[in-house]
Amino acid sequence: MDSLFLRPVSSPYRLCSRPSLRRGGCAQIQYLYQDFNTRDRCSTERIRGCLLNHRDSNANSTSYGRFHELSHVKASSGHPLESAPEDYSSTSTWRAILASLNVLYRFSRPHTVIGTAMGIVSVSLLAVESLPDISPLFFAGMLEAVVAALFMNVYIVGLNQLFDIEIDKVNKPDLPLASGEYSLKAGVAIITAAALMSFGIGWFVGSWPLFWALFISFVLGTAYSINLPFLRWKRFAVVAAICILAVRAVIVQLAFFLHIQTFVFRRPASFSRPLIFATAFMSFFSVVIALFKDIPDIDGDRIFGIRSFSVRLGQKKVFWICIYLLEMAYTVAMVVGATSSCLWSKCITILGHAILASILWNRARSLDSMTKAAITSFYMFVWKLFYAEYLLIPFVR
């Protein structure tokens, strides 16, 4: 039996040719072989045990080598071995947060949020009479007004979406409530929190012009959308236009101007020439927005019985009514600028409104179809003109 066992290992060099025994095991096997030849009474079990121990130790060293190589790669790349699951979890968390913020962003109707913020900043600057007025006190008062108004803006547009879910599935299927990204309970929770935050800020600040601006906006926004007897004024084209005009043209201009003038600067209430111009011009613009916003939504409004001007008169006719109204407003603005006693105000007002009127006319004439996509794109362009006007209003003197 011994001779049969020793035949495969008659040469230690043949045994060492095995790949598993090449790493440092040859010396040990050769020693065992020589020891056996000198007639040492080493049993076959001892040799078999040595071979098995060597195989296990070699396997362990191989595994350790692979682990060491992996550790070296990880260390050289700057990442610990256990960091992969954590990095993946962190990335997933950030993606979930960004996705939630994106849904909230679309729910708040960002073009209206931007318009509200720019309007408040613009009319606040009308109350500035000299350079020392631009102070930390001024910026604090303006910031309070902007934040409170933005919360109220979210309440108004959110309430409108809550009562227009079925209509929006036709007109604006990408909105969070219409698409199902927000549930009804989530929408109610958001607008409730927004209204409470808005009134809370208004009450904490203690400015009566600011508080009344928020309260009147709340009442008109609720009456415009909520589906109760004698309410849901958006069903009636003229009443709907008056609601939008009252908030965008009158409240934003007068109430927030008085907030800065009387509460922040502690000056008596006054209605200056620039303020009157801003109120009159934005009245025209608010009517245009009220008419224009219904042009791309004609299908859903017709199905659900919303008798907008676009449903009654047709898209093309209402479109050109809006264009002519804006061109008239720009013409009046250039006349007002020409009568200014301040040279820099005259130049900026005339040139700025002439450029905007020209851009509007060229864009309107280049509109080749009345498709929903084309009209929606033009509607967003009208909002950009709305923003541009608020950049020009502070220069009217």
Side-chain angles (χ1 to χ4, degrees):
M1 178 179 288
D2 293 345
S3 62
L4 290 176
F5 175 74
L6 289 174
R7 187 174 299 168
V9 295
S10 60
S11 173
Y13 302 101
R14 182 180 298 176
L15 182 62
C16 292
S17 64
R18 289 187 183 180
S20 61
L21 298 177
R22 286 178 184 174
R23 297 182 181 177
C26 297
Q28 182 180 359
I29 302 303
Q30 187 174 3
Y31 172 78
L32 291 174
Y33 178 78
Q34 292 174 349
D35 190 62
F36 187 84
N37 285 341
T38 57
R39 302 183 182 276
D40 187 15
R41 297 178 181 268
C42 179
S43 64
T44 57
E45 287 81 10
R46 180 183 174 188
I47 298 176
R48 183 180 293 127
C50 292
L51 289 173
L52 292 176
N53 290 337
H54 174 74
R55 184 186 63 184
D56 294 339
S57 64
N58 193 50
N60 289 337
S61 66
T62 303
S63 301
Y64 174 79
R66 291 178 180 174
F67 179 80
H68 183 269
E69 290 176 2
L70 181 60
S71 301
H72 178 72
V73 171
K74 287 290 184 178
S76 62
S77 63
H79 299 288
L81 288 173
E82 295 80 3
S83 64
E86 294 179 2
D87 291 344
Y88 178 78
S89 177
S90 177
T91 302
S92 301
T93 301
W94 275 111
R95 286 179 180 176
I97 292 173
L98 291 176
S100 300
L101 291 176
N102 178 59
V103 177
L104 181 60
Y105 174 78
R106 289 186 286 113
F107 180 79
S108 66
R109 308 294 283 154
H111 60 280
T112 65
V113 169
I114 296 172
T116 299
M118 292 190 67
I120 295 172
V121 172
S122 181
V123 298
S124 297
L125 290 172
L126 290 180
V128 174
E129 297 178 358
S130 59
L131 193 58
D133 286 343
I134 303 179
S135 62
L137 181 65
F138 166 75
F139 285 110
M142 184 173 64
L143 182 62
E144 291 166 349
V146 169
V147 174
L150 291 186
F151 277 120
M152 185 55 64
N153 192 102
V154 171
Y155 165 78
I156 292 173
V157 298
L159 183 71
N160 186 57
Q161 292 175 66
L162 281 172
F163 285 93
D164 279 0
I165 294 178
E166 297 302 321
I167 300 176
D168 287 339
K169 287 180 180 179
V170 179
N171 293 337
K172 304 180 183 73
D174 59 328
L175 290 180
L177 286 170
S179 64
E181 293 173 282
Y182 274 165
S183 65
L184 193 64
K185 290 182 179 179
V188 171
I190 291 172
I191 66 168
T192 302
L196 292 175
M197 289 294 294
S198 180
F199 282 121
I201 294 173
W203 184 262
F204 176 79
V205 171
S207 169
W208 282 109
L210 175 60
F211 184 84
W212 282 109
L214 299 174
F215 180 76
I216 296 174
S217 299
F218 174 85
V219 171
L220 293 178
T222 303
Y224 178 87
S225 299
I226 196 168
N227 193 8
L228 290 176
F230 306 108
L231 298 178
R232 196 161 173 78
W233 292 350
K234 67 178 297 178
R235 295 175 297 171
F236 314 105
V238 176
V239 180
I242 291 174
C243 286
I244 296 175
L245 185 149
V247 174
R248 290 284 173 193
V250 179
I251 294 177
V252 170
Q253 314 308 317
L254 299 182
F256 290 104
F257 173 84
L258 292 175
H259 165 68
I260 300 296
Q261 179 78 359
T262 62
F263 180 76
V264 176
F265 290 152
R266 303 295 179 180
R267 295 170 183 160
S270 62
F271 298 96
S272 60
R273 181 173 177 267
L275 179 63
I276 295 173
F277 165 79
T279 304
F281 189 94
M282 285 305 172
S283 295
F284 270 86
F285 224 125
S286 299
V287 170
V288 169
I289 288 176
L291 296 176
F292 214 112
K293 74 178 188 63
D294 295 327
I295 299 178
D297 296 341
I298 189 171
D299 294 332
D301 290 349
R302 185 183 288 119
I303 293 172
F304 291 94
I306 305 297
R307 300 292 296 169
S308 64
F309 281 111
S310 297
V311 172
R312 294 161 62 182
L313 303 178
Q315 288 178 305
K316 191 170 184 178
K317 185 175 289 187
V318 174
F319 174 84
W320 283 106
I321 288 174
C322 293
I323 300 300
Y324 292 140
L325 285 174
L326 277 183
E327 293 293 346
M328 288 172 55
Y330 285 134
T331 303
V332 172
M334 287 186 279
V335 172
V336 171
T339 61
S340 175
S341 59
C342 182
L343 181 61
W344 60 266
S345 175
K346 182 182 296 187
C347 294
I348 293 175
T349 305
I350 295 175
L351 184 62
H353 287 98
I355 292 173
L356 294 180
S358 176
I359 294 173
L360 171 65
W361 185 253
N362 290 332
R363 180 74 180 264
R365 294 194 62 179
S366 65
L367 190 70
D368 55 356
S369 65
M370 286 288 165
T371 62
K372 183 174 181 178
I375 294 297
T376 301
S377 176
F378 200 97
Y379 177 57
M380 291 295 104
F381 168 71
V382 170
W383 273 96
K384 292 176 182 177
L385 295 177
F386 186 76
Y387 307 152
E389 186 58 34
Y390 273 127
L391 294 178
L392 291 175
I393 282 177
F395 296 100
V396 177
R397 299 294 171 179

